[in-house]
Amino acid sequence: MSVLGSGIFKGMAVTLKNFVGSYFDKERLTTNEYAWQANDKLPERAGDYPKEEAEQLSDTTTVTQYSRNFPMLLHDAGEPMDTVRCVACQICERECPPQCIYIEKSTEKKERSGNKAQFYPATFDIDVSVCMSCQICVEVCPFDAIVMNSQFELSTPSRFGELLLRRDDLLKSNDYYYKIHPEEASARDKRIADEKAAKEAKKKAAEAAKKKAAEAKSKSEAEAKAKEEAEAASKPTEPSDTPPAESTATPSTEPPATPTTEPEKEGSAE
Amino acid sequence: MTVAAPNYELVQQDGLETSLLEVSMGPHHPSTHGVFRMDVKLDGETVVDLKPVFGYLHRNHEKLAENMSYLASMPFTDRLDYFNSMTNNWAYALAAEQLVEIEIPERAEYLRVIMSELTRLVNHVSLVGFFVNDLGALGTPLLYAFREREKILDLFEQASGARMMCNYFRFGGLRCDVPDGWLDRTREVVDRFPKFLDEYEKLLCENEIILSRTQGVGNLSKELAISAGITGPMLRASGVNYDIRKVDNYGIYERFKFRVPYSEGDVGDCYDRFMVRMLEMRESIGILRQALDGIENGPIMGNAGKVFKPQKSEAYGRVEAPKGELGFYLVADGTTQPYRYRVRPPSFINLTVLQDMCIGQQVADAVIILGSIDIVLGEVDR
Ligand code: SF4
Ligand code: SF4
């Protein structure tokens, strides 16, 4: 520090440089014009936004694909309620830290296209005024049924009830998921396919083992019979080298079709 | 060092009767960094007594956590010190990982270090901005700081999905791996940061107004700092070389070469606290560079079971959060919920010496002293 005040002038040079740079710097941050405006007034409910426009706004051109805000329920191609993945197991309801999910399980199972009959959520509400976007529900769901949306057009004129997203507001197709989180969606689908393939392979292997065991059993039985016959003919030739049937028969453990739905019983204080 | 109790009796001055003035600063005051109140007693411009009043933001964090599963508290820790969600997550994960034996994969350890050093940059750069904002440099330095912070928050968003409430750490690793190209983008940000720091130092560190307003203001002696349990940059500014990254070597910090800046003298004024943070950022960049060089591909999650249910035990996990020692104390009773959950918040404990630092100072300086402590009310009140 030589001349008193020189430090201040140095600082001013920095601000001048930044001021000029704010017009010419390549990395300068600019303001994006808001892409969409509600034509007249806000919809009454958060779920009532014009679906197409709101969904278009949440794709990767407006929102980065990594961001998350509130959960949505996935369904595969087809009628939403025919292909919804959620089976109303209520794990997410129990695990949600601020307890903002409310589920009512259907009373009877429903046929799903391409899948066996399952329960479905008769009611599935998420109170987005309470939800803290933590993604715990996504993590605990064993059916890949719930994922994070990035739709941000949700403001309403009042906060009581209007911020409650009902099941039909939450249902979104897998295609939409690909649109908003392409990387995550393809990774998830790959994992699901891998798990399915592994399950099938295991099933096949189990079946094959069963078949083999049965064959071995019948073979050894036949051999034993032949042997008996041969013995009866008092002409013992070669000893049978097939192992006893029991040892090859792998205990046919049918892989559970659905993961366990009761991860913790003690902890859940109802 | 004890401060003599001030005398509030009416004073006779030049034949006139005067008395002390009581001012309540806050809870909605721009200088209080949130909802925090200081009851200040003034003799003219001089502070003769100061009482911090807090609790306006109490959210029952600890009791809530005792009534939910271990994992479900993780997103709530983000909201303690909302500037540093990554280090909060780490401290909690460290405590929980001590309850059960979990091996943490190499890549996760590296990413943890990267995340927490990025957090330190975010915290210190904005703290300095807020601090000079309190000094009266309205806006400009703070906005420069926020411009850089934005780049780091974008990195957090790409990795974890959220800019501030990251909820990224899990017991035994991290929730998900970083996306492709993330490490390159991080390296770009880290490589540009020193240039910004040069500029920032040029802007602030020689400024005569800052020097004259911070030097010799709000002194905190070494003895008082130690006996009051002060930690973090504030302790180091008072001349104590103590950094939990060096003391505990948690994570993989022993692999990195870095220095701990601390003040040589025994003054511990606002200027020291400001400079310690400026210097710490340079060291964080060094750690980040080493971590980015060392990281390799691999799994990011250890083999933690699906249900986190520790045996009866207790554990204390602590990290060097940007504000000081952040610790989580957990008592497990064999169920899926902690029996006791306690947070040791650095901002709260650092705030306890506010009175000692402010007495005898000008009232305008009380604002700066509060700013130099670096508090976040979300953590003070919990
Ligand atoms: S994101 Fe978190 S708070 Fe929101 S519904 Fe899911 S678990 Fe609950
Ligand atoms: S955990 Fe998944 S399948 Fe179960 S109720 Fe929740 S969303 Fe549906």
Side-chain angles (χ1 to χ4, degrees):
Chain A
M1 190 167 48
S2 47
V3 189
L4 190 69
S6 67
I8 293 176
F9 282 107
K10 261 190 200 165
M12 282 178 164
V14 172
T15 47
L16 183 66
K17 199 170 135 252
N18 272 280
F19 172 68
V20 177
S22 70
Y23 286 98
F24 300 108
D25 199 345
K26 270 198 235 79
E27 285 168 43
R28 73 203 181 99
L29 301 171
T30 49
T31 315
N32 293 331
E33 202 162 307
Y34 187 52
W36 178 77
Q37 234 147 30
N39 293 332
D40 21 46
K41 63 181 173 75
L42 290 177
E44 283 299 307
R45 261 167 23 85
D48 283 350
Y49 272 87
K51 243 188 175 142
E52 251 163 48
E53 283 175 70
E55 286 186 3
Q56 205 184 338
L57 266 186
S58 358
D59 73 3
T60 50
T61 52
T62 318
V63 187
T64 141
Q65 61 162 311
Y66 305 107
S67 88
R68 59 167 198 248
N69 59 4
F70 298 118
M72 62 183 186
L73 285 174
L74 272 190
H75 68 81
D76 296 312
E79 247 324 281
M81 276 320 287
D82 281 348
T83 53
V84 63
R85 295 188 190 169
C86 176
V87 300
C89 68
Q90 299 181 321
I91 294 180
C92 55
E93 185 185 30
R94 196 167 41 219
E95 283 293 313
C96 169
Q99 301 278 299
C100 66
I101 307 182
Y102 176 73
I103 301 173
E104 256 173 39
K105 200 174 184 165
S106 60
T107 42
E108 63 227 32
K109 294 189 176 183
K110 189 178 166 185
E111 206 67 41
R112 305 276 169 93
S113 40
N115 264 321
K116 57 178 181 228
Q118 279 285 14
F119 289 109
Y120 60 92
T123 311
F124 197 114
D125 295 344
I126 293 181
D127 188 348
V128 291
S129 63
V130 175
C131 172
M132 59 182 189
S133 311
C134 64
Q135 214 174 348
I136 297 271
C137 49
V138 177
E139 266 166 71
V140 297
C141 176
F143 302 95
D144 294 290
I146 189 166
V147 292
M148 298 309 273
N149 199 346
S150 57
Q151 180 187 331
F152 54 86
E153 265 309 345
L154 292 166
S155 46
T156 60
S158 96
R159 63 174 205 188
F160 298 105
E162 287 77 357
L163 282 168
L164 192 70
L165 291 183
R166 316 303 302 262
R167 185 191 68 192
D168 295 341
D169 309 326
L170 292 167
L171 279 169
K172 295 274 154 78
S173 70
N174 205 21
D175 289 344
Y176 171 67
Y177 185 34
Y178 268 91
K179 240 182 250 161
I180 58 169
H181 301 312
E183 279 178 23
E184 192 191 302
S186 49
R188 186 176 288 259
D189 275 0
K190 186 168 171 290
R191 206 198 69 227
I192 296 175
D194 285 354
E195 273 171 13
K196 211 169 161 191
K199 217 154 110 183
E200 227 126 75
K202 214 170 148 197
K203 215 168 168 184
K204 240 184 211 159
E207 256 165 31
K210 231 174 171 176
K211 220 164 142 193
K212 209 168 144 198
E215 260 170 28
K217 206 171 166 192
S218 61
K219 201 172 156 198
S220 65
E221 262 169 19
E223 254 162 32
K225 222 174 177 185
K227 216 165 142 191
E228 255 169 40
E229 276 166 12
E231 259 166 23
S234 74
K235 210 176 163 191
T237 43
E238 70 219 84
S240 125
D241 59 351
T242 33
E246 285 75 36
S247 67
T248 49
T250 48
S252 72
T253 46
E254 183 65 29
T258 54
T260 168
T261 55
E262 300 281 301
E264 45 168 284
K265 269 188 176 142
E266 302 84 346
S268 58
E270 301 298 341
Chain B
M1 189 176 97
T2 49
V3 184
N7 180 8
Y8 298 132
E9 277 158 27
L10 294 183
V11 216
Q12 292 283 340
Q13 223 169 41
D14 306 332
L16 291 171
E17 233 178 33
T18 81
S19 83
L20 297 170
L21 181 68
E22 271 189 50
V23 180
S24 175
M25 292 173 79
H28 292 290
H29 190 272
S31 76
T32 54
H33 297 250
V35 272
F36 171 67
R37 189 156 67 92
M38 297 190 282
D39 275 343
V40 195
K41 286 213 172 79
L42 299 174
D43 176 7
E45 282 280 305
T46 315
V47 178
V48 292
D49 192 17
L50 184 145
K51 209 173 88 205
V53 185
F54 38 75
Y56 295 98
L57 211 59
H58 184 57
R59 286 150 299 157
N60 220 354
H61 175 67
E62 291 175 3
K63 208 69 204 167
L64 272 179
E66 285 162 19
N67 289 299
M68 59 178 72
S69 68
Y70 283 89
L71 173 64
S73 303
M74 188 61 94
F76 284 112
T77 63
D78 291 340
R79 286 145 176 91
L80 283 175
D81 175 357
Y82 37 79
F83 262 85
N84 309 323
S85 62
M86 292 285 190
T87 44
N88 297 350
N89 284 180
W90 197 358
Y92 180 48
L94 262 189
E97 279 155 9
Q98 285 171 25
L99 292 174
V100 293
E101 296 281 309
I102 308 181
E103 192 73 28
I104 298 148
E106 192 85 340
R107 185 176 171 84
E109 289 278 27
Y110 272 100
L111 280 174
R112 283 177 172 199
V113 169
I114 291 173
M115 292 302 176
S116 79
E117 292 308 319
L118 284 174
T119 304
R120 205 177 307 280
L121 289 182
V122 167
N123 180 73
H124 286 356
V125 82
S126 359
L127 177 267
V128 169
F130 281 123
F131 175 64
V132 292
N133 201 24
D134 286 345
L135 277 169
L138 290 177
T140 309
L142 180 63
L143 287 178
Y144 289 0
F146 269 40
R147 190 182 60 199
E148 298 309 305
R149 170 177 175 260
E150 200 65 18
K151 294 173 187 163
I152 298 177
L153 291 191
D154 280 348
L155 293 174
F156 285 169
E157 180 173 34
Q158 288 162 15
S160 74
R163 289 150 45 87
M164 290 176 80
M165 302 299 137
C166 299
N167 185 19
Y168 188 51
F169 287 49
R170 287 290 172 273
F171 311 138
L174 301 166
R175 195 184 74 224
C176 54
D177 206 344
V178 293
D180 290 341
W182 188 88
L183 291 171
D184 299 330
R185 291 194 284 272
T186 310
R187 190 180 288 275
E188 234 170 76
V189 170
V190 170
D191 284 345
R192 288 227 197 91
F193 211 86
K195 197 171 142 252
F196 163 72
L197 276 185
D198 291 342
E199 199 182 70
Y200 214 41
E201 279 176 7
K202 211 158 125 198
L203 178 65
L204 303 173
C205 294
E206 286 176 47
N207 188 311
E208 284 85 0
I209 303 175
I210 292 184
L211 296 185
S212 61
R213 291 238 16 222
T214 55
Q215 285 177 338
V217 171
N219 293 4
L220 177 66
S221 70
K222 209 175 188 168
E223 290 72 36
L224 180 63
I226 293 172
S227 62
I230 306 300
T231 45
M234 204 169 150
L235 178 68
R236 294 194 280 277
S238 290
V240 185
N241 181 3
Y242 180 81
D243 186 320
I244 296 168
R245 288 176 292 177
K246 289 276 189 202
V247 176
D248 274 11
N249 275 329
Y250 61 92
I252 49 166
Y253 269 114
E254 78 274 5
R255 291 190 206 168
F256 302 118
K257 254 184 74 191
F258 65 100
R259 293 169 300 170
V260 179
Y262 69 100
S263 148
E264 285 266 280
D266 187 22
V267 186
D269 55 11
C270 287
Y271 179 73
D272 286 342
R273 291 195 274 278
F274 160 69
M275 278 315 285
V276 160
R277 282 163 181 134
M278 289 301 265
L279 296 173
E280 244 177 45
M281 284 194 267
R282 301 252 175 207
E283 296 304 317
S284 288
I285 289 167
I287 300 175
L288 278 168
R289 287 210 168 116
Q290 293 168 48
L292 287 168
D293 286 339
I295 190 166
E296 279 165 12
N297 283 337
I300 43 109
M301 195 63 195
N303 54 333
K306 204 147 176 78
V307 185
F308 190 83
K309 197 170 161 188
Q311 297 297 311
K312 256 187 192 169
S313 52
E314 55 184 315
Y316 180 66
R318 58 176 191 169
V319 299
E320 177 73 28
K323 294 183 166 58
E325 173 186 337
L326 174 66
F328 281 83
Y329 174 60
L330 295 174
V331 180
D333 60 355
T335 66
T336 54
Q337 296 171 350
Y339 174 74
R340 180 79 177 101
Y341 173 106
R342 157 97 187 128
V343 189
R344 182 216 187 271
S347 317
F348 172 58
I349 292 172
N350 289 357
L351 190 58
T352 52
V353 287
L354 180 66
Q355 185 191 27
D356 304 75
M357 291 197 292
C358 284
I359 286 178
Q361 306 282 344
Q362 304 286 300
V363 64
D365 290 342
V367 173
I368 307 169
I369 296 167
L370 177 69
S372 75
I373 298 178
D374 191 5
I375 56 163
V376 155
L377 266 296
E379 190 177 64
V380 173
D381 295 340
R382 303 191 299 298

